[in-house]
Coordinates of all heavy atoms in Angstrom, one line a residue:
M200 N 17.3 64.1 170.7 CA 18.7 63.8 170.6 C 19.2 63.8 169.2 O 18.6 63.2 168.4 CB 19.0 62.5 171.3 CG 20.5 62.2 171.4 SD 20.9 60.6 172.1 CE 20.5 60.9 173.8
K201 N 20.2 64.5 168.9 CA 20.8 64.6 167.6 C 21.9 63.5 167.4 O 22.8 63.4 168.2 CB 21.4 66.0 167.4 CG 21.6 66.3 166.0 CD 22.0 67.8 165.9 CE 22.0 68.2 164.5 NZ 22.4 69.6 164.3
M202 N 21.7 62.7 166.3 CA 22.7 61.7 166.1 C 23.9 62.3 165.2 O 23.6 62.9 164.3 CB 22.1 60.5 165.4 CG 21.1 59.8 166.3 SD 20.7 58.2 165.6 CE 22.1 57.3 165.9
M203 N 25.1 62.0 165.6 CA 26.2 62.5 164.9 C 26.7 61.4 163.9 O 26.8 60.2 164.3 CB 27.3 62.9 165.8 CG 27.0 64.0 166.7 SD 28.4 64.5 167.7 CE 29.4 65.3 166.5
K204 N 27.0 61.8 162.8 CA 27.5 60.9 161.7 C 29.0 60.8 161.9 O 29.7 61.8 162.0 CB 27.1 61.4 160.4 CG 27.1 60.4 159.3 CD 26.6 61.1 158.0 CE 26.3 60.0 157.0 NZ 25.8 60.5 155.8
T205 N 29.5 59.6 162.0 CA 30.9 59.4 162.2 C 31.6 59.3 160.8 O 31.0 58.8 159.9 CB 31.2 58.1 163.0 OG1 30.7 57.0 162.3 CG2 30.7 58.2 164.4
K206 N 32.7 59.9 160.7 CA 33.5 59.8 159.5 C 34.2 58.5 159.4 O 34.9 58.1 160.4 CB 34.5 60.9 159.4 CG 33.9 62.2 159.0 CD 35.1 63.2 158.7 CE 34.5 64.4 158.0 NZ 35.6 65.4 157.6
E207 N 34.1 57.8 158.3 CA 34.8 56.5 158.1 C 36.1 56.8 157.5 O 36.3 57.8 156.8 CB 34.0 55.6 157.2 CG 32.7 55.1 157.8 CD 32.0 54.2 156.8 OE1 32.5 53.9 155.7 OE2 31.0 53.7 157.2
E208 N 37.1 56.0 157.9 CA 38.4 56.1 157.3 C 38.2 55.7 155.8 O 37.4 54.9 155.4 CB 39.3 55.1 157.9 CG 39.6 55.5 159.4 CD 40.6 54.5 160.0 OE1 41.4 53.9 159.3 OE2 40.5 54.4 161.3
P209 N 39.1 56.3 154.9 CA 39.0 56.0 153.5 C 39.1 54.5 153.2 O 38.4 54.0 152.3 CB 40.1 56.8 152.9 CG 40.4 57.9 153.9 CD 40.0 57.4 155.2
E210 N 40.0 53.9 153.9 CA 40.3 52.4 153.6 C 39.0 51.6 153.9 O 38.6 50.8 153.2 CB 41.4 51.9 154.5 CG 42.8 52.3 154.0 CD 43.8 51.8 154.9 OE1 43.5 50.9 155.8 OE2 45.0 52.2 154.8
L211 N 38.4 51.9 155.1 CA 37.2 51.2 155.5 C 36.0 51.5 154.5 O 35.3 50.6 154.1 CB 36.8 51.6 156.9 CG 35.6 50.9 157.5 CD1 35.8 49.4 157.6 CD2 35.2 51.5 158.8
Q212 N 35.9 52.7 154.0 CA 34.9 53.0 153.1 C 35.1 52.3 151.8 O 34.2 51.8 151.2 CB 34.9 54.6 152.9 CG 33.7 55.0 152.0 CD 33.7 56.5 151.9 OE1 34.6 57.2 152.3 NE2 32.6 57.0 151.3
T213 N 36.3 52.3 151.3 CA 36.6 51.6 150.0 C 36.4 50.1 150.2 O 35.8 49.5 149.3 CB 38.1 51.8 149.6 OG1 38.3 53.2 149.5 CG2 38.4 51.2 148.3
R214 N 36.8 49.5 151.3 CA 36.5 48.1 151.5 C 35.0 47.8 151.5 O 34.6 46.8 150.9 CB 37.2 47.7 152.8 CG 37.1 46.2 153.0 CD 37.7 45.7 154.3 NE 39.1 46.2 154.5 CZ 39.6 46.5 155.7 NH1 39.0 46.3 156.8 NH2 40.9 46.9 155.7
R215 N 34.3 48.6 152.1 CA 32.8 48.4 152.2 C 32.2 48.5 150.8 O 31.4 47.7 150.5 CB 32.2 49.5 153.1 CG 30.7 49.2 153.3 CD 30.1 50.1 154.4 NE 30.6 49.5 155.7 CZ 30.7 50.2 156.8 NH1 30.4 51.5 156.8 NH2 31.1 49.6 157.9
E216 N 32.7 49.5 150.0 CA 32.2 49.6 148.6 C 32.5 48.4 147.8 O 31.6 47.9 147.0 CB 32.8 50.8 148.0 CG 32.2 52.2 148.5 CD 33.0 53.4 148.0 OE1 33.9 53.2 147.2 OE2 32.6 54.5 148.3
M217 N 33.7 47.8 148.0 CA 34.0 46.6 147.3 C 33.2 45.4 147.7 O 32.8 44.6 146.9 CB 35.5 46.3 147.5 CG 36.4 47.3 146.7 SD 38.1 47.0 147.0 CE 38.3 45.4 146.1
E218 N 32.9 45.3 149.0 CA 32.1 44.2 149.5 C 30.7 44.3 149.0 O 30.0 43.3 148.8 CB 32.1 44.2 151.0 CG 33.4 43.8 151.6 CD 33.5 43.9 153.1 OE1 32.6 44.4 153.7 OE2 34.5 43.5 153.6
E219 N 30.2 45.5 148.7 CA 28.8 45.7 148.2 C 28.6 45.2 146.8 O 27.6 44.8 146.4 CB 28.4 47.1 148.4 CG 28.2 47.6 149.8 CD 27.9 49.1 149.9 OE1 27.9 49.8 148.9 OE2 27.7 49.5 151.1
R220 N 29.7 45.3 146.0 CA 29.6 44.8 144.6 C 29.7 43.3 144.6 O 30.6 42.7 145.1 CB 30.8 45.4 143.8 CG 30.6 46.9 143.5 CD 31.7 47.4 142.6 NE 32.5 48.2 143.4 CZ 33.8 48.5 143.1 NH1 34.4 48.0 142.1 NH2 34.4 49.3 143.9
T221 N 28.8 42.7 144.0 CA 28.8 41.2 143.9 C 28.9 40.8 142.4 O 28.2 41.3 141.6 CB 27.4 40.7 144.4 OG1 27.3 41.1 145.8 CG2 27.5 39.2 144.4
I222 N 29.8 39.9 142.2 CA 30.1 39.3 140.9 C 29.9 37.8 140.9 O 30.5 37.2 141.8 CB 31.5 39.7 140.4 CG1 31.7 41.2 140.3 CG2 31.7 39.0 139.0 CD1 33.1 41.6 140.0
T223 N 29.1 37.3 140.1 CA 28.8 35.9 140.0 C 29.6 35.3 138.8 O 29.5 35.7 137.7 CB 27.3 35.6 139.9 OG1 26.6 36.2 140.9 CG2 27.1 34.1 139.9
I224 N 30.4 34.3 139.1 CA 31.2 33.6 138.1 C 30.9 32.2 138.1 O 31.0 31.5 139.1 CB 32.7 33.8 138.3 CG1 33.1 35.3 138.3 CG2 33.5 33.1 137.3 CD1 34.5 35.6 138.7
E225 N 30.5 31.6 136.9 CA 30.2 30.2 136.8 C 31.6 29.5 136.7 O 32.3 29.7 135.7 CB 29.3 29.9 135.6 CG 27.9 30.6 135.7 CD 27.1 30.0 136.8 OE1 27.3 28.7 137.1 OE2 26.4 30.7 137.5
I226 N 31.9 28.6 137.6 CA 33.1 27.8 137.5 C 32.7 26.3 137.4 O 32.0 25.8 138.2 CB 33.9 28.0 138.8 CG1 34.3 29.5 139.0 CG2 35.2 27.1 138.8 CD1 35.0 29.8 140.3
P227 N 33.3 25.7 136.3 CA 33.0 24.2 136.2 C 33.5 23.5 137.4 O 34.4 23.9 138.1 CB 33.8 23.9 135.0 CG 34.1 25.1 134.3 CD 34.1 26.2 135.3
E228 N 32.8 22.4 137.7 CA 33.1 21.6 138.9 C 34.5 21.1 138.9 O 35.1 21.0 140.0 CB 32.1 20.4 139.0 CG 30.7 20.8 139.5 CD 30.7 21.5 140.8 OE1 31.4 21.1 141.8 OE2 30.0 22.5 140.9
V229 N 35.1 20.7 137.8 CA 36.4 20.2 137.7 C 37.4 21.3 138.2 O 38.3 21.0 139.0 CB 36.8 19.7 136.3 CG1 38.2 19.3 136.2 CG2 35.9 18.5 135.9
L230 N 37.2 22.5 137.6 CA 38.1 23.6 138.0 C 37.9 24.0 139.5 O 38.9 24.3 140.2 CB 37.8 24.8 137.1 CG 38.6 26.1 137.4 CD1 40.1 25.8 137.3 CD2 38.3 27.2 136.4
K231 N 36.7 24.0 139.9 CA 36.3 24.3 141.3 C 37.1 23.4 142.3 O 37.7 23.8 143.3 CB 34.8 24.2 141.5 CG 34.3 24.8 142.8 CD 32.8 24.7 142.8 CE 32.2 25.5 143.8 NZ 30.8 25.5 143.8
K232 N 37.1 22.1 142.0 CA 37.8 21.1 142.8 C 39.3 21.3 142.8 O 39.9 21.3 143.9 CB 37.5 19.7 142.3 CG 38.2 18.6 143.0 CD 37.6 18.3 144.3 CE 38.3 17.1 145.0 NZ 39.0 17.3 146.2
Q233 N 39.8 21.7 141.7 CA 41.3 22.0 141.6 C 41.6 23.2 142.4 O 42.6 23.2 143.1 CB 41.7 22.2 140.1 CG 43.1 22.3 139.9 CD 43.9 21.1 140.3 OE1 43.6 20.0 139.9 NE2 45.0 21.3 141.0
L234 N 40.8 24.2 142.3 CA 41.0 25.4 143.1 C 40.9 25.2 144.6 O 41.7 25.7 145.4 CB 40.1 26.5 142.7 CG 40.3 27.1 141.3 CD1 39.1 28.0 140.9 CD2 41.6 27.8 141.1
E235 N 40.0 24.4 145.0 CA 39.8 24.0 146.4 C 41.1 23.2 146.9 O 41.6 23.5 148.0 CB 38.6 23.2 146.6 CG 37.3 24.0 146.5 CD 36.0 23.2 146.5 OE1 36.1 21.9 146.5 OE2 35.0 23.8 146.6
D236 N 41.5 22.3 146.1 CA 42.7 21.5 146.4 C 43.9 22.5 146.5 O 44.7 22.4 147.5 CB 43.0 20.4 145.4 CG 42.0 19.3 145.4 OD1 41.2 19.2 146.4 OD2 42.0 18.5 144.5
D237 N 44.1 23.4 145.6 CA 45.2 24.3 145.6 C 45.1 25.2 146.9 O 46.2 25.4 147.6 CB 45.2 25.2 144.4 CG 45.7 24.5 143.1 OD1 46.2 23.4 143.2 OD2 45.5 25.1 142.1
C238 N 44.0 25.6 147.2 CA 43.8 26.5 148.4 C 44.2 25.7 149.6 O 44.8 26.2 150.5 CB 42.3 26.9 148.5 SG 42.0 28.0 149.9
Y239 N 43.7 24.4 149.7 CA 44.1 23.6 150.9 C 45.6 23.4 151.0 O 46.1 23.6 152.1 CB 43.4 22.2 150.7 CG 43.9 21.2 151.7 CD1 43.5 21.2 153.0 CD2 44.8 20.2 151.3 CE1 44.0 20.3 153.9 CE2 45.3 19.3 152.2 CZ 44.9 19.3 153.5 OH 45.3 18.4 154.4
Y240 N 46.2 23.1 149.9 CA 47.7 22.8 150.0 C 48.5 24.1 150.3 O 49.5 24.1 151.0 CB 48.2 22.2 148.7 CG 47.9 20.7 148.6 CD1 47.0 20.2 147.7 CD2 48.5 19.8 149.5 CE1 46.7 18.9 147.6 CE2 48.2 18.5 149.4 CZ 47.3 18.0 148.5 OH 46.9 16.7 148.5
I241 N 48.0 25.2 149.8 CA 48.7 26.5 150.0 C 48.5 27.0 151.4 O 49.5 27.3 152.1 CB 48.3 27.6 149.0 CG1 48.8 27.2 147.6 CG2 48.8 28.9 149.4 CD1 48.2 28.0 146.5
N242 N 47.3 27.0 151.9 CA 47.0 27.6 153.2 C 47.1 26.6 154.4 O 47.6 27.0 155.4 CB 45.5 28.1 153.2 CG 45.4 29.3 152.3 OD1 46.2 30.2 152.2 ND2 44.3 29.2 151.5
R243 N 46.8 25.3 154.2 CA 46.9 24.4 155.3 C 48.2 23.7 155.4 O 48.8 23.5 156.5 CB 45.8 23.4 155.2 CG 44.4 24.0 155.2 CD 43.9 24.3 156.5 NE 42.5 24.7 156.5 CZ 42.0 25.8 156.9 NH1 42.8 26.7 157.5 NH2 40.7 26.1 156.8
R244 N 48.7 23.3 154.3 CA 49.9 22.4 154.2 C 51.2 23.3 154.0 O 52.3 22.8 154.0 CB 49.8 21.3 153.2 CG 48.6 20.4 153.3 CD 48.7 19.4 154.4 NE 49.8 18.6 154.4 CZ 49.9 17.4 153.8 NH1 48.9 16.9 153.1 NH2 51.0 16.7 153.8
K245 N 51.0 24.6 153.7 CA 52.1 25.5 153.4 C 53.0 25.0 152.2 O 54.2 25.1 152.3 CB 52.9 25.7 154.7 CG 52.2 26.2 155.9 CD 51.5 27.5 155.6 CE 50.8 28.0 156.9 NZ 49.8 29.0 156.6
R246 N 52.3 24.6 151.2 CA 53.0 24.1 150.0 C 52.6 24.9 148.8 O 51.5 25.1 148.6 CB 52.7 22.6 149.7 CG 53.1 21.7 150.9 CD 52.8 20.3 150.5 NE 54.0 19.6 150.9 CZ 54.3 18.4 150.3 NH1 53.5 17.9 149.4 NH2 55.4 17.8 150.7
L247 N 53.6 25.3 148.1 CA 53.4 26.1 146.9 C 53.9 25.3 145.7 O 54.9 24.6 145.8 CB 54.1 27.4 146.9 CG 53.4 28.5 147.8 CD1 54.3 29.7 147.8 CD2 52.1 28.9 147.2
V248 N 53.3 25.5 144.5 CA 53.8 24.9 143.3 C 55.1 25.7 142.9 O 55.2 26.9 143.0 CB 52.8 25.0 142.2 CG1 53.3 24.5 140.9 CG2 51.5 24.3 142.6
K249 N 56.1 24.9 142.5 CA 57.3 25.6 142.1 C 57.1 26.2 140.7 O 56.6 25.6 139.8 CB 58.5 24.5 142.0 CG 59.0 24.0 143.3 CD 60.1 23.1 143.1 CE 60.6 22.6 144.5 NZ 61.7 21.7 144.4
L250 N 57.6 27.4 140.6 CA 57.5 28.2 139.4 C 58.9 28.5 138.9 O 59.7 28.8 139.8 CB 56.6 29.5 139.6 CG 55.2 29.2 139.9 CD1 54.5 30.5 140.2 CD2 54.5 28.5 138.8
P251 N 59.2 28.6 137.7 CA 58.3 28.3 136.6 C 58.1 26.8 136.5 O 59.0 26.0 136.9 CB 59.0 28.8 135.4 CG 60.5 28.8 135.8 CD 60.5 29.0 137.3
C252 N 57.0 26.4 135.9 CA 56.6 25.0 135.8 C 57.6 24.4 134.7 O 58.1 25.0 133.8 CB 55.2 24.9 135.3 SG 54.6 23.2 135.0
Q253 N 57.9 23.1 134.9 CA 58.8 22.4 134.0 C 58.2 22.3 132.6 O 58.9 22.4 131.6 CB 59.1 21.0 134.5 CG 59.8 21.0 135.8 CD 61.2 21.7 135.7 OE1 61.9 21.6 134.7 NE2 61.6 22.3 136.8
T254 N 56.9 22.2 132.5 CA 56.2 22.1 131.2 C 55.7 23.5 130.9 O 54.9 24.1 131.6 CB 55.0 21.1 131.3 OG1 55.4 19.9 131.8 CG2 54.4 21.0 130.0
N255 N 56.2 24.0 129.8 CA 55.8 25.4 129.4 C 54.5 25.4 128.6 O 54.1 24.3 128.1 CB 56.9 26.2 128.7 CG 57.3 25.5 127.4 OD1 56.6 24.8 126.8 ND2 58.6 25.7 127.0
I256 N 54.0 26.5 128.3 CA 52.7 26.7 127.6 C 52.8 26.1 126.2 O 51.9 25.6 125.7 CB 52.2 28.1 127.7 CG1 50.8 28.2 127.1 CG2 53.1 29.0 126.9 CD1 49.8 27.5 127.9
I257 N 53.9 26.3 125.5 CA 54.1 25.8 124.2 C 54.0 24.3 124.1 O 53.3 23.8 123.3 CB 55.4 26.3 123.6 CG1 55.4 27.8 123.4 CG2 55.7 25.7 122.2 CD1 56.7 28.5 123.1
T258 N 54.6 23.6 125.0 CA 54.5 22.2 125.1 C 53.1 21.7 125.4 O 52.6 20.8 124.7 CB 55.4 21.6 126.2 OG1 56.8 22.1 126.0 CG2 55.5 20.1 126.2
I259 N 52.4 22.4 126.2 CA 51.0 22.1 126.5 C 50.1 22.3 125.3 O 49.3 21.4 125.0 CB 50.5 22.9 127.7 CG1 51.2 22.6 129.0 CG2 49.0 22.8 127.9 CD1 51.0 23.5 130.2
L260 N 50.3 23.4 124.6 CA 49.5 23.6 123.4 C 49.8 22.7 122.3 O 48.9 22.2 121.6 CB 49.7 25.1 122.9 CG 49.1 26.2 123.9 CD1 49.5 27.5 123.4 CD2 47.6 26.0 124.0
E261 N 51.1 22.3 122.1 CA 51.4 21.3 121.1 C 50.8 20.0 121.4 O 50.3 19.3 120.5 CB 52.9 21.2 121.0 CG 53.6 22.3 120.3 CD 55.1 22.3 120.4 OE1 55.7 21.5 121.1 OE2 55.8 23.0 119.6
S262 N 50.8 19.6 122.7 CA 50.2 18.3 123.1 C 48.7 18.3 122.8 O 48.1 17.3 122.4 CB 50.4 18.0 124.6 OG 51.8 17.9 124.8
Y263 N 48.1 19.5 123.1 CA 46.6 19.6 122.9 C 46.3 19.4 121.4 O 45.4 18.7 121.0 CB 46.2 21.0 123.4 CG 44.8 21.3 123.1 CD1 43.8 20.9 124.0 CD2 44.4 22.1 122.1 CE1 42.4 21.2 123.7 CE2 43.1 22.5 121.8 CZ 42.1 22.0 122.7 OH 40.8 22.3 122.4
V264 N 47.1 20.1 120.5 CA 46.8 20.0 119.1 C 47.1 18.6 118.6 O 46.3 18.1 117.8 CB 47.7 21.0 118.3 CG1 47.7 20.8 116.8 CG2 47.3 22.5 118.7
K265 N 48.1 18.0 119.0 CA 48.4 16.6 118.6 C 47.3 15.7 119.1 O 46.9 14.8 118.3 CB 49.7 16.1 119.2 CG 50.9 16.7 118.6 CD 52.2 16.3 119.2 CE 53.4 17.0 118.7 NZ 54.7 16.6 119.4
H266 N 46.8 15.8 120.3 CA 45.7 15.0 120.8 C 44.5 15.1 119.9 O 43.9 14.0 119.6 CB 45.4 15.4 122.3 CG 44.2 14.6 122.8 ND1 44.3 13.3 123.2 CD2 42.9 15.0 123.0 CE1 43.1 12.9 123.7 NE2 42.3 13.9 123.6
F267 N 44.1 16.3 119.5 CA 42.9 16.4 118.7 C 43.1 16.2 117.3 O 42.1 16.0 116.5 CB 42.2 17.8 119.0 CG 41.5 17.8 120.3 CD1 42.0 18.4 121.4 CD2 40.2 17.2 120.4 CE1 41.3 18.4 122.6 CE2 39.5 17.2 121.6 CZ 40.1 17.8 122.7
A268 N 44.4 16.1 116.8 CA 44.6 15.8 115.4 C 44.5 14.4 115.1 O 44.3 14.0 114.0 CB 46.1 16.3 115.1
I269 N 44.7 13.6 116.2 CA 44.6 12.1 116.0 C 43.2 11.6 115.9 O 42.3 11.7 115.6 CB 45.3 11.4 117.2 CG1 46.7 11.7 117.3 CG2 45.0 9.9 117.2 CD1 47.4 11.2 118.6

């Protein structure tokens, strides 16, 4: 009996190729916990953070510099 090879759809083939590639990223536990919390609130509670954030990046960086300057 001869087995016929089925043609895969391009989308399915691309998805399979992406799943085969594995990337390992080391995430600190603090960040991991924050990401898990965000995921929970977004997916389970249907809550998103309002953007743009009231505190901008310049204020955050200035606070960081002031904290370490002391």
Side-chain angles (χ1 to χ4, degrees):
M200 183 183 288
K201 195 174 193 180
M202 295 193 71
M203 295 185 73
K204 202 174 195 180
T205 60
K206 280 191 170 183
E207 290 184 1
E208 294 179 27
E210 287 180 9
L211 183 61
Q212 187 176 9
T213 303
R214 187 180 305 152
R215 185 170 287 153
E216 288 172 359
M217 288 178 68
E218 289 173 355
E219 288 175 359
R220 288 185 249 157
T221 304
I222 298 173
T223 304
I224 300 174
E225 296 294 324
I226 300 176
E228 286 301 316
V229 174
L230 178 57
K231 192 176 194 179
K232 176 73 173 119
Q233 184 65 47
L234 292 172
E235 288 172 352
D236 289 347
D237 287 349
C238 181
Y239 168 76
Y240 283 112
I241 291 168
N242 293 315
R243 304 277 189 235
R244 306 285 304 268
K245 305 297 182 201
R246 299 182 131 204
L247 284 173
V248 175
K249 288 184 181 181
L250 295 177
C252 182
Q253 296 299 324
T254 307
N255 62 25
I256 188 64
I257 294 171
T258 306
I259 294 170
L260 291 174
E261 286 174 347
S262 297
Y263 176 81
V264 170
K265 286 177 186 176
H266 174 75
F267 283 101
I269 295 175

